[in-house]
Amino acid sequence: MADPNPPSALLLLPPPSAFSFDPVKDAFEPSLVDVYTKLSDKLNESNDTAILDIALAIPGLLSSCQPRAKVFAQLQHYLSSVYTLIGAVCATRNIELDSPGGIDTRVVFVDQATKPAERTPFGPILDLQSLADCDRRWDHVYYLGNTAGKNVADSFISHVGAQAKDGRAASLQAITSHPDWTTADPLLIPDDQPSTPYYSVVVGGTFDHLHVGHKLLLTAVALALEPGREGRLTIGVTGDALLTKKKYAEVLESWEERWQSTASFLTAIMDFSPGEKSLQIERGLSPDPNGQTPLKNVLTRIQPNLAFKFVEISEMFGPTITEENLGAIVVSKETRSGGALINDERAKKGWKALAVFEVDVLQSGEATDTESFESKISSTDIRRRRAQRAKV
């Protein structure tokens, strides 16, 4: 029987010396080993899923990312380094991630300033006060035991006041860490080229059995969306009819399950507003570019100025050639050619080209056990393991 309150934790990480993989590994590997081992032990071989929110602190973050496009390249690179390290740590120690009995990880960025220039509960970039004020109740808040880690923990605690008074604050615990390192000053250098804010961003994928590779892509999509006025993420999700020939199709998640798990993850990294949540869901139909049966869509409103639209995909272009009012698309470096093809199709319609944001891919070669790492970021391998378990 599933535990109604599975283990949950928040890990506060101070700024690394740089955003590339090697300095991130040098700074955070012992701490990630410690935290993932603790959470895995708490699961005690059950089928529950623990939750781990990781907050990456960066000084002056909110004042630097106006618009967010100016810091997208650096932040997605940092995000890729962190998710690569998470995959390597868990692969080496045979710790499950998003499968039953594993750890559901969500990574966001926080401004380390005690009094940031602005307050925003709109992730995945937010201030420490909004993180402290949100309604999440972690069992533990972990921080690095060195000077940099304690500074972030002290800043967080200074904002927790009300929670501490009514007994809702999680216990803080210092964890294994390397001695202090020297951080580049400034660490985050905004792009000096003119940048446009984008309030409508699109991405496409299958999103079957959501894993860290999906999470990197989806978090990057959220990074590209500008807060302020009404924003919308449009997520094309491959329709069931296109997936019948996939390996282990018997354990493939349905379109309904896939959009819901994607919505759940996006909500977890984007909505830090306090108070009761009132999720609004509207279902509809979208035109099929091939003129076939209309495609399903679901609009979910998370905040008054934030909505997700999930559209069933029947071919490679999806909503990018049926919805004109999109501003940007996020693609992985493996699928960059797709962005050019999409803009060619939009040009044929006389529509404005989409800005293309590229996301790094996870580097499985950084893991000691490459095969195990790749199995954690492969939907096919995840389905294979589930199919095998179902036969036992």
Side-chain angles (χ1 to χ4, degrees), residues 319-327 346 350-352 354:
T320 62
I321 60 169
T322 58
E323 299 189 19
E324 181 177 1
N325 296 322
L326 300 171
R346 289 177 66 88
W351 292 358
K352 185 177 179 180
L354 300 177

Side-chain angles (χ1 to χ4, degrees), residues 85-250:
L85 182 58
I86 288 168
V89 163
C90 292
T92 302
R93 288 155 186 84
N94 197 30
I95 295 174
E96 285 292 338
L97 283 171
D98 299 288
S99 300
I103 300 167
D104 176 8
T105 305
R106 299 90 67 100
V107 181
V108 297
F109 301 90
V110 293
D111 192 324
Q112 194 176 343
T114 304
K115 295 182 179 180
E118 62 178 294
R119 288 286 308 280
T120 173
F122 187 103
I125 298 174
L126 66 157
D127 60 286
L128 272 174
Q129 184 70 65
S130 294
L131 184 65
D133 286 347
C134 74
D135 292 331
R136 303 180 192 191
R137 296 294 171 258
W138 301 285
D139 300 323
H140 293 280
V141 174
Y142 296 113
Y143 65 94
L144 274 61
N146 56 19
T147 302
K150 291 175 183 175
N151 287 340
V152 177
D154 288 344
S155 296
F156 179 75
I157 283 298
S158 71
H159 296 300
V160 174
Q163 293 186 35
K165 290 177 183 177
D166 67 11
R168 291 182 292 155
S171 62
L172 264 79
Q173 182 177 341
I175 54 172
T176 307
S177 64
H178 276 310
D180 288 303
W181 51 84
T182 301
T183 300
D185 185 19
L187 179 61
L188 187 64
I189 304 174
D191 190 336
D192 60 2
Q193 298 299 313
S195 297
T196 301
Y198 296 100
Y199 299 95
S200 180
V201 183
V202 64
V203 72
T206 300
F207 302 115
D208 177 52
H209 293 98
L210 213 66
H211 53 65
V212 290
H214 296 134
K215 291 178 175 183
L216 169 61
L217 178 64
L218 290 169
T219 307
V221 175
L223 280 174
L225 185 70
E226 193 72 21
R229 57 189 227 204
E230 182 168 342
R232 176 179 294 187
L233 295 183
T234 300
I235 301 94
V237 181
T238 308
D240 292 338
L242 294 185
L243 304 177
T244 55
K245 295 183 179 180
K246 288 277 189 180
K247 289 185 177 180
Y248 313 105
E250 69 274 16

Side-chain angles (χ1 to χ4, degrees), residues 369-387:
D369 187 344
T370 301
E371 184 177 346
S372 180
F373 183 106
E374 291 177 343
S375 75
K376 295 183 185 301
I377 58 173
S378 164
S379 295
T380 300
D381 218 16
I382 292 171
R383 291 197 300 274
R384 177 185 60 78
R385 296 200 303 272
R386 293 200 174 193

Side-chain angles (χ1 to χ4, degrees), residues 25-36:
K25 179 181 179 181
D26 290 343
F28 300 148
E29 184 174 37
S31 306
L32 291 176
V33 170
D34 195 352
V35 169
Y36 278 92

Side-chain angles (χ1 to χ4, degrees), residues 52-117:
L52 176 62
D53 288 318
I54 298 179
L56 306 175
I58 300 177
L61 175 60
L62 287 171
S63 60
S64 300
C65 60
Q66 296 178 354
R68 288 186 175 182
K70 283 185 171 292
V71 293
F72 176 87
Q74 290 184 76
L75 291 185
Q76 71 81 23
H77 184 54
Y78 185 19
L79 190 70
S80 173
S81 296
V82 171
Y83 269 124
T84 293
L85 182 58
I86 288 168
V89 163
C90 292
T92 302
R93 288 155 186 84
N94 197 30
I95 295 174
E96 285 292 338
L97 283 171
D98 299 288
S99 300
I103 300 167
D104 176 8
T105 305
R106 299 90 67 100
V107 181
V108 297
F109 301 90
V110 293
D111 192 324
Q112 194 176 343
T114 304
K115 295 182 179 180

